[in-house]
Amino acid sequence: YSMPGLLLCKGKPLDFVFIIDSSRSVRPSDYEKVKIFITNILAFLDVGPEATRVGLLQYGSVVQNEFSLNTYSSKADVERAVKAMDHLATGTMTGLAIQYTMETAFTEPEGARPADMHIPRIAMIITDGRPQDTVEEVAAKARQAGIQIFAIGVGRVDMNTLRVIGSEPHSEHVYLVANFSQIETLTSVFQSNLCTDLCSVMDHPCDHLCVSTPASYMCRCRKGYTLNSDGKTSCKSKSHLLHTRIVYALMMDLVFVIDGSKSLGPANFELVKQFVNGIVDSLDVSGTGTHVGLLQYSSKVRTEFILGQYTSGRDINRAVLRMQYMGRGSMTGAALRHMFEYSFSAKEGARPDIPRVSIVFTDGRSQDDVSKWATKAKDAGIMIYALGVGKAIEEELREIASEPDDKHLYYAEDFSNMGEITDKLKSQICKDMCKCENVMLFQRQVNEQLRRLTQNNILYSPVVVCIL
């Protein structure tokens, strides 16, 4: 059995090691399902000595290396070796397996390529039970050694255990499914994480060069420049005095309502997270400034965090990256109802006499009515911006958005155009919140001065360009 519709992941060589829990708690039939899952992952990997190298070890009370990164040079040979594996049916020494992976599996004698080649080192661990040894310290050492760890738990695995094993952000590296029959549903998720060239499909913030990595990206600078300390933003001339960040100093309560339906897909959901954080980064998030809350909806509505729960943009960025993709239906109306009835309540942190704004993002037709609760929210004074991508329905977007439509409705045919939407939305929010032509004139003048100062490398500090 193999998953249909998987495209080969070319052009991204990896050193990839599977770590398989072969303890006695894994039933023989479930052990076979793990083999099928591994084969499905292999289906989209471009396996070869100069492409992706694959190793596999299984563990119980001891660690058993089935094959190393340099054992096989073809996908067919790797698949045969996977099918020939025998179940150990002993204990659960997960920590020992991670230690072996770090100290042996990812060494050059075992086939790992030299670190200076910058080939990503990926470990995917699949486990169904509580470890009989400690994992936190050895997993941290493995990650510090440059190994990116995906942790998959099945059944009654403690989520906290998976989190101390998996790499950050956990939303992209830690997964829990109810049983072994459901593990195959993760195949497309990992294809997106391992194969998507994020630099080519997202509105990344890199000034010079963007380098895609599995499930993430890195910024690089041209010679003579250094990267900002967060590793994900601007390049600065080594002789310069400035990195400029424009901040809109508005006071408002802002709630994002984010579509997490199946039609979106895991890779695009990651781009939506980037979009949210792009908006957040332009706001003065603080105890006395803007407060931000976020709902994700699918077949149900889930509050990811409420207004005022976080008082810094950095904390909100982290919370957004931790979000787990729901991936089911599309009940936009239910989400609007939740936003109206709960998100802007005093209990959930809404402040009196502070402007209330909601940004609603969707990529398709709602399975329920949106007009009733959108109208109630707007009548209650909540300003709603409606953002649609792909198969979003224009009529629904108009029912959701505040008037006039041309200032509160935004649409892009695909996710590659979201950067343009982000810039327009930032500007419009400032205009709506400032409500002052003189302030907007001031903003344009300041922006022009910023441009000149930045060109001359003589400015240092974030700049507030719009004040309420």
Side-chain angles (χ1 to χ4, degrees):
Y1 174 84
S2 65
M3 296 287 287
L6 294 178
L7 299 175
L8 191 64
C9 180
K10 283 187 174 291
K12 294 188 68 174
L14 310 169
D15 284 344
F16 196 117
V17 174
F18 291 96
I19 308 171
I20 306 305
D21 182 345
S22 190
S23 59
R24 65 175 65 90
S25 60
V26 180
R27 295 179 298 183
S29 60
D30 290 335
Y31 185 73
E32 293 304 312
K33 290 172 184 172
V34 173
K35 290 185 182 182
I36 292 170
F37 174 70
I38 295 169
T39 303
N40 289 336
I41 297 293
L42 291 171
F44 61 76
L45 295 178
D46 184 19
V47 177
E50 303 305 317
T52 291
R53 300 182 183 182
V54 180
L56 187 148
L57 58 95
Q58 58 175 332
Y59 68 95
S61 299
V62 297
V63 177
Q64 180 168 302
N65 186 44
E66 294 293 332
F67 51 90
S68 302
L69 290 166
N70 56 6
T71 304
Y72 300 114
S73 58
S74 76
K75 185 182 299 187
D77 288 340
V78 173
E79 290 175 342
R80 278 192 288 270
V82 170
K83 290 175 183 176
M85 288 194 308
D86 291 323
H87 189 194
L88 300 179
T90 54
T92 313
M93 299 296 284
T94 309
L96 188 65
I98 296 172
Q99 183 174 351
Y100 180 93
T101 304
M102 174 179 61
E103 295 180 351
T104 304
F106 281 113
T107 60
E108 291 184 40
E110 293 292 306
R113 282 162 283 196
D116 60 10
M117 290 183 68
H118 301 294
I119 304 294
R121 295 182 174 183
I122 309 296
M124 181 179 289
I125 184 164
I126 304 170
T127 181
D128 85 323
R130 187 181 297 275
Q132 294 175 326
D133 55 356
T134 58
V135 297
E136 185 170 0
E137 185 177 346
V138 69
K141 286 182 178 179
R143 295 191 302 268
Q144 288 166 6
I147 300 170
Q148 192 173 167
I149 305 177
F150 291 89
I152 304 173
V154 183
R156 298 180 179 179
V157 181
D158 177 30
M159 193 64 178
N160 289 330
T161 299
L162 296 176
R163 288 194 180 106
V164 300
I165 293 173
S167 295
E168 294 272 7
H170 291 148
S171 60
E172 296 167 359
H173 295 89
V174 176
Y175 300 88
L176 180 62
V177 294
N179 53 57
F180 283 93
S181 295
Q182 291 185 9
I183 197 170
E184 69 181 50
T185 63
L186 296 177
T187 305
S188 60
V189 174
F190 285 114
Q191 184 182 25
S192 297
N193 281 347
L194 296 170
C195 297
T196 299
D197 183 354
L198 285 179
C199 292
S200 66
V201 300
M202 68 175 286
D203 178 36
H204 61 76
C206 302
D207 272 2
H208 292 177
L209 305 172
C210 179
V211 180
S212 293
T213 63
S216 189
Y217 67 93
M218 297 182 296
C219 296
R220 292 285 183 265
C221 296
R222 292 190 287 271
K223 188 174 181 180
Y225 291 81
T226 59
L227 192 63
N228 220 33
S229 59
D230 63 3
K232 285 278 176 78
T233 54
S234 298
C235 295
K236 300 181 290 188
S237 169
K238 289 180 179 178
S239 62
H240 94 321
L241 295 175
L242 159 73
H243 168 53
T244 305
R245 182 169 66 95
I246 295 178
V247 176
Y248 297 95
L250 308 171
M251 182 184 291
M252 62 179 162
D253 285 345
L254 169 63
V255 174
F256 288 93
V257 180
I258 301 300
D259 186 345
S261 62
K262 185 177 181 180
S263 60
L264 196 68
N268 287 336
F269 187 69
E270 296 307 312
L271 300 182
V272 174
K273 291 183 185 180
Q274 297 288 344
F275 158 75
V276 171
N277 279 339
I279 297 293
V280 170
D281 288 344
S282 71
L283 300 172
D284 176 29
V285 178
S286 63
T288 57
T290 291
H291 289 187
V292 179
L294 190 146
L295 305 176
Q296 182 187 170
Y297 71 92
S298 180
S299 298
K300 296 181 179 179
V301 182
R302 183 169 74 204
T303 299
E304 300 290 351
F305 50 90
I306 63 173
L307 290 166
Q309 183 172 338
Y310 301 110
T311 55
S312 75
R314 184 182 294 268
D315 287 342
I316 291 174
N317 291 161
R318 290 170 179 159
V320 170
L321 292 175
R322 287 196 300 267
M323 282 198 304
Q324 296 282 351
Y325 173 50
M326 296 174 79
R328 301 190 69 182
S330 184
M331 302 293 283
T332 312
L336 291 167
R337 178 177 182 173
H338 189 103
M339 178 267 286
F340 167 67
E341 291 188 334
Y342 300 104
S343 299
F344 287 106
S345 66
K347 183 179 179 181
E348 296 209 356
R351 296 168 291 179
D353 303 319
I354 297 294
R356 296 180 174 183
V357 178
S358 182
I359 297 175
V360 180
F361 175 89
T362 181
D363 87 319
R365 183 184 295 276
S366 177
Q367 294 174 322
D368 59 355
D369 176 64
V370 301
S371 60
K372 177 182 177 180
W373 294 103
T375 300
K376 283 181 176 286
K378 289 181 286 188
D379 288 347
I382 299 169
M383 184 177 293
I384 303 179
Y385 297 87
L387 279 68
V389 174
K391 295 181 180 179
I393 307 301
E394 182 178 355
E395 181 183 351
E396 286 188 356
L397 295 175
R398 291 189 187 282
E399 290 176 338
I400 294 169
S402 293
E403 293 184 352
D405 292 347
D406 62 334
K407 298 186 186 302
H408 299 91
L409 189 158
Y410 298 85
Y411 174 79
E413 290 186 2
D414 56 57
F415 284 84
S416 63
N417 296 325
M418 281 190 68
E420 186 178 341
I421 284 183
T422 304
D423 292 339
K424 289 180 178 178
L425 180 61
K426 289 176 185 176
S427 177
Q428 188 59 46
I429 290 174
C430 183
K431 291 175 184 176
D432 287 343
M433 292 296 102
C434 288
K435 297 187 179 75
C436 175
E437 291 184 5
N438 289 335
V439 175
M440 295 310 300
L441 174 62
F442 171 69
Q443 177 184 331
R444 288 192 293 272
Q445 292 171 341
V446 170
N447 285 342
E448 176 61 22
Q449 290 299 318
L450 283 177
R451 186 182 64 78
R452 293 174 181 172
L453 292 171
T454 302
Q455 287 176 342
N456 295 324
N457 292 326
I458 59 173
L459 187 66
Y460 181 79
S461 75
V463 180
V464 174
V465 297
C466 188
I467 304 171
L468 185 62

